[in-house]
Amino acid sequence: MRLLEAVASHEEGAPAKQLAREAGLALPTAYHLLRTLAHEGYLRKETGLFVLGAAAERLSSSGAQQNRRGMITEALQHWRDAIGVPVYFSVYREGEIEVVAVADTPGNPAVAEWADFRETGHAHAIGQCLLAQLDDESRRDHLDRYPAHSITPYTVRDDRALLRRLNGQGRMQPVVERQEYALGTACAAFPITVGSTAATMAVSLPSHQAGRLLPAARQLQNEVGKLVGTLAFSISI
């Protein structure tokens, strides 16, 4: 690790002797480790200088992604505590609904994923909000793969009924569903503008507290604009 750090500190690369000195290693040990790191793809040797290889770059990229995910999770946890409801952040990526992060507590648990979120987008507010942001072709493609069907007595019955609902949805208005995905729960989701990617934030509550749902969603919607840049970064996670 000290050798990798030493290499990373030299944009144009550095020779083995210099790296050994900076890492505080005996030259034979440094040579052995440098050869091993190069063999595994963490370093490359170019004209006698060692530079970072593809494996190290992937490691760095993964670390950056983890940092971005951590920032998202911290933001969701802040809003969860401030508003007192579970908070969700989701995106539509490569034809699939993806829940990126969730913040809840034992006293205010998130909705249990008893049916695959990706396949039941027609039934929950997160999915409906994401589908409402798609163009007609992408929306039809999704419903061809995951057609609407009833999973509770309150779920939209078919694709035609779902499309009517989505077409009537206001551009930045929260999408609300009550017991359509899970009995005893209600959820509200609103769209987020992060480039060309469909994204949404959502909150949920037990259905007997549904009167709190829209005020909580509005409060979150007012706050979320302050972190849109960070949310946009998370699209690459």
Side-chain angles (χ1 to χ4, degrees):
M1 293 303 298
R2 289 199 299 272
L3 280 172
L4 285 173
E5 290 172 352
V7 173
S9 69
H10 298 279
E11 186 175 342
E12 304 299 329
K17 288 183 179 180
Q18 182 178 356
L19 294 170
R21 183 170 61 254
E22 293 178 0
L25 297 171
L27 188 57
T29 301
Y31 272 126
H32 172 71
L33 292 175
L34 288 168
R35 284 195 297 269
T36 300
L37 288 166
H39 177 74
E40 297 295 336
Y42 289 95
L43 297 177
R44 299 192 320 273
K45 192 174 184 181
E46 298 180 351
T47 62
L49 304 179
F50 287 92
V51 297
L52 293 177
E57 292 167 359
R58 287 194 299 271
L59 190 64
S60 175
S61 176
S62 296
Q65 290 171 1
Q66 290 176 11
N67 287 339
R68 289 196 294 270
R69 188 179 291 273
M71 292 173 65
I72 295 298
T73 300
E74 288 178 5
L76 264 60
Q77 290 171 345
H78 167 75
W79 289 323
R80 172 203 65 196
D81 295 341
I83 304 174
V85 296
V87 180
Y88 311 74
F89 174 51
S90 304
V91 299
Y92 193 83
R93 179 162 39 201
E94 297 180 355
E96 300 292 347
I97 293 168
E98 179 181 342
V99 179
V100 176
V102 180
D104 64 352
T105 65
N108 290 301
V111 178
E113 188 177 351
W114 73 273
D116 192 323
F117 260 43
R118 295 171 300 176
E119 299 177 5
T120 56
H122 64 284
H124 48 75
I126 286 173
Q128 292 175 23
C129 187
L130 292 173
L131 292 174
Q133 297 176 61
L134 303 182
D135 57 43
D136 289 341
E137 183 179 353
S138 299
R139 196 181 296 166
R140 289 286 186 182
D141 173 73
H142 184 92
L143 293 175
D144 285 344
R145 290 178 288 121
Y146 305 121
H149 62 281
S150 296
I151 59 175
T152 80
Y154 304 95
T155 311
V156 64
R157 301 295 182 185
D158 52 39
D159 291 354
R160 183 178 298 178
L162 175 66
L163 290 171
R164 281 200 303 269
R165 179 187 297 186
L166 297 180
N167 288 331
Q169 179 65 31
R171 183 173 175 272
M172 296 304 294
Q173 294 301 308
V175 176
V176 177
E177 61 89 0
R178 295 177 175 85
Q179 304 192 84
E180 294 182 47
Y181 175 76
L183 295 176
T185 65
C187 183
F190 56 87
I192 300 174
T193 302
V194 280
S196 60
T197 301
T200 182
M201 298 281 292
V203 297
S204 65
L205 282 166
S207 55
H208 68 272
Q209 298 181 33
R212 293 179 53 208
L213 194 63
L214 272 177
R218 294 291 190 192
Q219 183 179 350
L220 179 60
Q221 192 171 20
N222 289 336
E223 291 288 330
V224 76
K226 301 172 185 177
L227 201 68
V228 164
T230 303
L231 293 172
F233 275 126
S234 76
I235 300 301
S236 64
I237 292 176

